[in-house]
């Protein structure tokens, strides 16, 4: 049951962890959504929307027609009048084309990317600050569902600007604690509650899922088998989450067909949101499969035991060859062999800490962590000196008597042969 609960919570934990980062870290939010300004599909969408707004606010055909009519009213001949009348349509199209070109150039420039990033930063900081009831932001959400603008931050900024311009008397203006209510919404308390739940679940759900999976393996009667089942259950839940992202993309594209957003721009936006969560799910999937494989390989099963014999024998041959040339770890190697299990646990703990704490999590990070951990285990296997190995030597190649005595004491066998009567009596007993 513990393993099942952990596996069911794992996909929710992945989504909640992403939401927690995006809702609490303005820099990460801008880093995630800022690159949208450089995507051609998004640029085309913004260009179209801006041009539509300009066309709605400014009647360019009527404006050019009024200009030409004004020129005609100044007094032109019949031929000039007819020519000017014919120019109304091309002139309007030319102005519209010029506006579209200028808008497109601006949106494709670095200036638009800076404006986009600044707008994201200000919007995120103001909204999240309001949801946290931060007094330093200009927006305030009241307990009764009111949306207000706090004057204190605005007045502070105005004072700084005026002081920079040499208007010194504004420093005498005291701090103002006043809020202007601009709107009321019954849904605001629900939004604040959802925000708090998203932040809390994103912070604690991943750890709760891990604790449940580990606890399920620890309390089981067959711990090795339970650990493999827990890892495979986690991998299965990640596969289900990845399938959910794929299905969600299909429904998302279908919903865009009836709206103003092009499928290309919508796809980019969906990838911006779902991409990091999908990468995390893939990384956790790789980690779970690796944990299952390593647990099986190190477990007390017949096939893994035979498989482990080959690398252990190879490590022993390498160790023996090095010691024949005077390269030995001496007492340190003996200590390492005595603490074999602790050192392996330490390697696993460090690898787990890297995977759990380093962000963003990626399949490459997981694979490199597993590879380096395996390399460290191989080095430890070669460096260890099991009891019964060749006598260690000092740096000058002279046998180390103390270490030799320790090694010899572990290999002492009795040379006393019991009397025949005793052997017979023992056999009878």
């Amino acid at each position: 049951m513990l393993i099942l609960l952990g596996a069911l919570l794992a996909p929710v934990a992945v989504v909640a962890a992403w939401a927690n980062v995006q809702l609490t870290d303005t820099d990460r939010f801008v880093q995630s959504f800022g690159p949208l300004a450089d995507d051609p599909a998004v640029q085309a969408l913004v260009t179209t929307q801006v041009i539509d707004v300009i066309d709605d606010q400014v009647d360019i055909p009527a404006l050019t027609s009024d200009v030409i009519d004004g020129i005609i009213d100044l007094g032109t001949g019949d031929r000039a009048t007819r020519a000017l009348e014919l120019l109304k349509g091309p002139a309007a199209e030319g102005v519209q084309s010029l506006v579209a070109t200028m808008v497109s150039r601006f949106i494709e420039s670095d200036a638009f990317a800076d404006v986009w990033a600044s707008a994201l930063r200000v919007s995120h900081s103001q909204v999240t600050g309001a949801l946290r009831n931060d007094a330093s932001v200009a927006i305030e959400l009241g307990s009764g569902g009111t949306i207000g603008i706090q004057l204190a931050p605005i007045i502070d900024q105005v004072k700084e600007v005026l002081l920079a311009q040499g208007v010194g008397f504004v420093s005498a203006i005291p701090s103002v604690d006043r809020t202007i209510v601009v709107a009321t919404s019954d849904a605001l308390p629900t939004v604040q509650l959802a925000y708090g739940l998203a932040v809390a679940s994103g912070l604690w759900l991943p750890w709760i899922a891990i604790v449940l999976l580990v606890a399920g393996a620890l309390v089981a009667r067959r711990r090795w088998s339970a650990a493999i089942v827990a890892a495979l259950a986690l991998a299965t839940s990640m596969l289900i989450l990845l399938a959910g992202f794929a299905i969600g993309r299909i429904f998302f594209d279908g919903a865009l067909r009836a709206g103003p957003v092009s499928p290309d721009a919508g796809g980019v936006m969906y990838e911006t949101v779902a991409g990091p969560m999908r990468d995390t799910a893939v990384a956790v999937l790789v980690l779970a499969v690796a944990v299952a494989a390593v647990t099986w390989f190190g477990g007390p099963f017949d096939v893994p035991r035979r498989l482990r014999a080959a690398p252990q024998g190879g490590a022993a041959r390498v160790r023996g060859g090095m010691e024949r040339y005077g390269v030995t770890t001496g007492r340190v190697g003996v200590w390492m062999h005595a603490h074999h299990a602790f050192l392996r646990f330490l390697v696993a703990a460090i690898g787990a800490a890297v995977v759990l704490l380093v962000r963003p999590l990626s399949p490459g990070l997981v694979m490199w962590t597993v590879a380096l951990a395996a390399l460290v285990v191989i080095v430890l296997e070669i460096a260890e000196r099991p009891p019964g190995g060749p006598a260690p030597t000092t740096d000058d190649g002279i046998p180390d008597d103390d270490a030799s005595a320790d090694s010899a004491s572990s290999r002492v066998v009795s040379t006393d042969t019991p009397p025949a009567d005793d052997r017979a009596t023992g056999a009878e007993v």
Side-chain angles (χ1 to χ4, degrees):
M1 291 302 298
L2 290 172
I3 292 173
L4 179 61
L5 289 175
L8 291 176
L9 283 179
V12 183
V14 171
V15 178
W18 177 88
N20 174 61
V21 171
Q22 299 300 324
L23 291 175
T24 59
D25 193 334
T26 300
D27 292 333
R28 289 288 295 274
F29 179 81
V30 176
Q31 182 181 358
S32 298
F33 293 93
L36 287 175
D38 298 324
D39 187 87
V42 176
Q43 289 177 348
L45 173 64
V46 176
T47 301
T48 302
Q49 295 297 320
V50 171
I51 293 174
D52 290 342
V53 170
I54 294 175
D55 291 338
D56 292 339
Q57 298 298 320
V58 181
D59 191 350
I60 295 178
L63 181 63
T64 54
S65 178
D66 291 341
V67 172
I68 293 176
D69 289 340
I71 296 174
I72 293 174
D73 291 341
L74 293 176
T76 57
D78 293 338
R79 295 180 61 184
T81 299
R82 288 194 298 270
L84 290 173
E85 290 288 349
L86 294 175
L87 284 176
K88 287 184 177 180
E93 293 177 359
V95 174
Q96 290 174 330
S97 177
L98 177 62
V99 171
T101 300
M102 297 302 295
V103 170
S104 178
R105 287 180 179 177
F106 170 73
I107 292 177
E108 293 174 358
S109 66
D110 294 336
F112 171 72
D114 295 337
V115 172
W116 179 277
S118 299
L120 288 176
R121 186 175 300 278
V122 172
S123 301
H124 185 273
S125 60
Q126 291 293 318
V127 172
T128 56
L131 291 171
R132 295 195 305 267
N133 293 321
D134 187 354
S136 63
V137 300
I139 301 175
E140 181 184 57
L141 303 182
S143 58
T146 59
I147 304 175
I149 298 178
Q150 299 186 68
L151 295 182
I154 299 174
I155 293 176
D156 292 340
Q157 292 294 325
V158 172
K159 287 169 59 176
E160 292 182 5
V161 172
L162 293 176
L163 287 173
Q165 297 295 328
V167 184
F169 71 88
V170 297
S171 59
I173 299 176
S175 299
V176 178
D177 185 10
R178 183 180 299 176
T179 301
I180 303 174
V181 176
V182 296
T184 303
S185 174
D186 296 335
L188 286 181
T190 304
V191 172
Q192 286 184 299
L193 177 61
Y195 174 82
L197 290 176
V199 172
S201 61
L203 184 63
W204 293 107
L205 268 186
W207 297 104
I208 293 175
I210 293 173
V211 168
L212 289 173
L213 291 170
V214 174
L218 291 178
V219 302
R221 293 182 178 179
R222 300 178 179 179
R223 294 179 178 177
W224 288 95
S225 299
I228 296 174
V229 170
L232 294 179
L234 179 60
T236 302
S237 67
M238 291 300 103
L239 286 174
I240 295 174
L241 180 59
L242 292 173
F245 286 135
I247 296 173
R249 175 62 186 274
I250 296 174
F251 284 99
F252 185 79
D253 290 342
L256 290 178
R257 294 174 183 173
V261 181
S262 66
D264 292 338
V268 173
M269 297 176 187
Y270 184 86
E271 287 300 318
T272 301
V273 174
M277 291 185 284
R278 186 175 58 245
D279 293 342
T280 301
V282 172
V284 175
L285 171 63
V286 173
L287 175 64
V289 173
V291 170
V294 171
T295 304
W296 176 81
F297 185 78
F301 310 108
D302 292 336
V303 175
R305 282 177 177 174
R306 290 193 292 268
L307 293 176
R308 290 197 302 268
Q312 289 173 352
R317 288 190 293 271
V318 172
R319 187 189 314 115
M322 294 173 61
E323 291 181 348
R324 283 194 295 271
Y325 288 96
V327 179
T328 177
T329 54
R331 293 179 177 178
V332 175
V334 175
W335 180 89
M336 292 171 65
H337 180 78
H339 298 81
H340 174 92
F342 170 74
L343 293 176
R344 299 305 187 275
F345 173 79
L346 185 62
V347 172
I350 294 175
V354 170
V355 173
L356 292 175
L357 301 178
V358 175
R359 291 294 180 271
L361 185 63
S362 64
L365 174 65
V366 173
M367 295 180 68
W368 274 109
T369 303
V370 173
L372 290 176
L375 179 62
V376 172
V377 170
I378 292 174
V379 172
L380 291 176
E381 192 72 31
I382 295 175
E384 292 175 359
R385 298 190 71 255
T393 60
T394 62
D395 294 338
D396 299 331
I398 302 174
D400 189 340
D401 295 335
D402 294 336
S404 299
D406 294 339
S407 178
S409 63
S410 64
R411 302 194 306 270
V412 171
V413 295
S414 176
T415 57
D416 297 334
T417 304
D421 294 341
D422 294 340
R423 291 198 303 271
T425 302
E428 291 171 0
V429 173

